[in-house]
Amino acid sequence: MKDSIFAPSFGNRPRIMVGRDEELSYFKAALNSPAGSRDRAALILGQRGYGKTVMLLEMAEIARRNGFVVASPTIVSTDLQRRIIEKLYDDGSKYLRQDKRELSGGNVSVIGFGLGFQTDKSGGMEKSYEYRLIEVCRRLTEKGKGVLILVDEVQANSEALKSLIAVYQEMVGEGLNVAIVMAGLPGAVSTTLNEHVLTFLNRARKIDLGPLNERVISDYYRKVFKELGISLDVSKYDELAGFTEGSPYLMQLAGHYITIYSDDSGQIDKNMYEKALNDAKTDFITDICETTLNTLSDRDIEFLKSMTQDIETSRVSDIAERMEVSAAYAQRYKKRLIDSGVIKQIKRGEVCFCIAYLKDYLQDKDN
């Protein structure tokens, strides 16, 4: 069958947003809060495949419906502010084209698009991108439009990000109608928060995208498979939700494969159902588990392999013994892996995996 609902690819925005109603309700309320409100700055934390980019895209649509001009999700890079200015011009061109005021220095438009936002013909010093971004937001604020800046894949120790946050603080101090939402892996965000010049971010709202509720996933499958005309045994819905272990990406993968393996009448036999789940798991391991491990050190991976000897949770003291290191040494790697979103602390001295099937993958690699 043709898949018209599931979107198992990074950055794709699925037709239906699942299990994030609370987070989106907060965001809607933040947009309606006064300019300068601390709620207008938010940080989205989540492991790979937990829907950070999808959340940003959903927020962009909500903001546009509420009268905001949006700089769609921009990946952190050296030209971060230039890209944001370009996107604001693209989204708000009908408001900015009407504004013929000039900035300073030469006759080149601020981003090369000739939209009436130019440097001063008197030959004065050309303004920085920081100044230009502030000026764009000033003009949109004057026209009664809010500005939402979305930043994806936050990188630790990024000079471009430091500059953007400094500019945002200036705009807040000026009372401009602006908001900012940034998303990244827990470790990168944690490091960023510890930067002295970015302590402002510690006051920002933290949105932790954890696993989805399996009941929500089961209900979602019931709804969309009915819409697609797929006949799935009623006992399979909870089983399928359990298979995903709360991962939004794995939920999309499993739904996609079940859909395309179903025949024209919407039937899927036992063998094809099992193949769908196996293919979904294989893709998930390649895209998420292997990608995650590629970012870790050999010692990090040794810590994780030590955890695979336990059934559910692992005591850090046992891990230290297996690694033949001191407890203090093991604690350092525990913190690194928690910050990276690979494991989580259950209670004092005990941890467990928080990426679906990572434990299985590590065990299979050793066999």
Side-chain angles (χ1 to χ4, degrees):
M1 293 186 69
K2 183 178 180 181
D3 182 3
S4 60
I5 291 182
F6 299 101
S9 180
F10 292 117
N12 274 4
R13 183 173 169 231
R15 205 182 76 189
I16 302 172
M17 192 76 173
V18 182
R20 304 300 190 196
D21 293 344
E22 183 178 346
E23 292 87 348
L24 292 174
S25 293
Y26 154 74
F27 176 69
K28 293 174 187 176
L31 291 181
N32 291 321
S33 65
S37 166
R38 61 180 292 178
D39 289 337
R40 284 183 168 222
L43 291 165
I44 298 176
L45 297 81
Q47 188 48 256
R48 292 179 179 85
Y50 269 43
K52 298 184 295 298
T53 302
V54 171
M55 178 67 77
L56 291 177
L57 293 172
E58 191 72 18
M59 288 175 166
E61 289 306 306
I62 291 171
R64 290 188 180 102
R65 292 196 296 268
N66 282 270
F68 278 67
V69 172
V70 180
S72 57
T74 305
I75 295 174
V76 176
S77 62
T78 54
D79 63 348
L80 177 62
Q81 292 193 55
R82 180 179 185 275
R83 292 290 296 125
I84 289 170
I85 294 170
E86 290 174 342
K87 291 180 178 185
L88 289 177
Y89 260 103
D90 185 50
D91 202 52
S93 59
K94 62 182 177 181
Y95 310 108
L96 294 167
R97 280 198 180 99
Q98 303 164 3
D99 196 330
K100 301 299 182 182
R101 284 175 293 173
E102 297 175 345
L103 289 183
S104 80
N107 56 8
V108 180
S109 69
V110 108
I111 53 175
F113 293 158
L115 293 176
F117 190 16
Q118 298 181 328
T119 55
D120 184 356
K121 296 180 177 61
S122 64
M125 182 179 295
E126 184 176 348
K127 297 296 185 180
S128 66
Y129 283 117
E130 289 81 1
Y131 181 91
R132 296 170 183 181
L133 177 55
I134 292 173
E135 187 65 12
V136 170
C137 294
R138 282 174 181 157
R139 297 183 184 185
L140 288 168
T141 297
E142 289 172 7
K143 295 177 183 296
K145 309 303 293 184
V147 174
L148 173 64
I149 298 170
L150 300 172
V151 180
D152 204 358
E153 297 187 21
V154 167
Q155 303 295 317
N157 304 314
S158 165
E159 293 301 321
L161 190 60
K162 292 177 188 178
S163 176
L164 175 62
I165 296 305
V167 170
Y168 181 77
Q169 288 181 265
E170 287 184 34
M171 293 192 291
V172 169
E174 194 174 319
L176 301 186
N177 190 7
V178 293
I180 188 168
V181 182
M182 296 174 287
L185 295 170
V189 173
S190 176
T191 301
T192 300
L193 290 177
N194 289 330
E195 286 282 346
H196 178 67
V197 296
L198 301 182
T199 51
F200 146 82
L201 289 180
N202 282 298
R203 301 191 297 273
R205 171 81 170 195
K206 311 302 186 300
I207 301 175
D208 190 355
L209 298 184
L212 296 176
N213 182 284
E214 290 183 9
R215 172 52 56 191
V216 171
I217 295 175
S218 178
D219 292 343
Y220 168 69
Y221 278 137
R222 290 173 191 272
K223 177 181 178 179
V224 296
F225 285 151
K226 181 179 180 180
E227 182 177 335
L228 289 167
I230 294 175
S231 299
L232 193 64
D233 186 274
V234 67
S235 66
K236 295 295 186 184
Y237 288 107
D238 288 347
E239 175 185 298
L240 189 55
F243 165 80
T244 70
E245 295 192 11
S247 164
Y249 183 49
L250 190 50
M251 176 187 72
Q252 296 290 331
L253 284 169
H256 171 71
Y257 279 116
I258 287 175
T259 301
I260 64 173
Y261 289 161
S262 299
D263 62 27
D264 292 340
S265 64
Q267 302 297 315
I268 182 166
D269 62 29
K270 182 176 181 293
N271 289 336
M272 293 310 291
Y273 173 81
E274 291 177 353
K275 176 173 171 54
L277 267 56
N278 182 68
D279 287 355
K281 183 177 178 180
T282 298
D283 283 359
F284 183 84
I285 285 173
T286 299
D287 296 342
I288 303 297
C289 296
E290 291 184 356
T291 301
T292 298
L293 292 177
N294 287 340
T295 66
L296 303 178
S297 70
D298 290 343
R299 210 60 163 155
D300 289 326
I301 294 173
E302 184 181 350
F303 186 104
L304 295 175
K305 286 182 176 179
S306 297
M307 290 177 59
T308 64
Q309 299 180 37
D310 302 307
I311 297 174
E312 292 184 1
T313 65
S314 300
R315 293 190 301 177
V316 177
S317 57
D318 291 339
I319 296 170
E321 185 177 338
R322 293 164 189 162
M323 293 177 67
E324 298 181 349
V325 298
S326 68
Y329 186 89
Q331 287 288 346
R332 286 169 46 195
Y333 285 90
K334 182 197 81 169
K335 184 180 184 307
R336 282 164 52 98
L337 291 166
I338 289 176
D339 287 344
S340 299
V342 182
I343 64 174
K344 61 183 177 182
Q345 183 163 295
I346 300 301
K347 58 184 180 180
R348 186 177 179 83
E350 287 191 24
V351 294
C352 71
F353 287 93
C354 59
I355 297 179
Y357 299 106
L358 180 58
K359 179 179 179 180
D360 292 351
Y361 175 66
L362 288 168
Q363 288 175 325
D364 290 344
K365 282 189 67 175
D366 284 342
N367 294 332

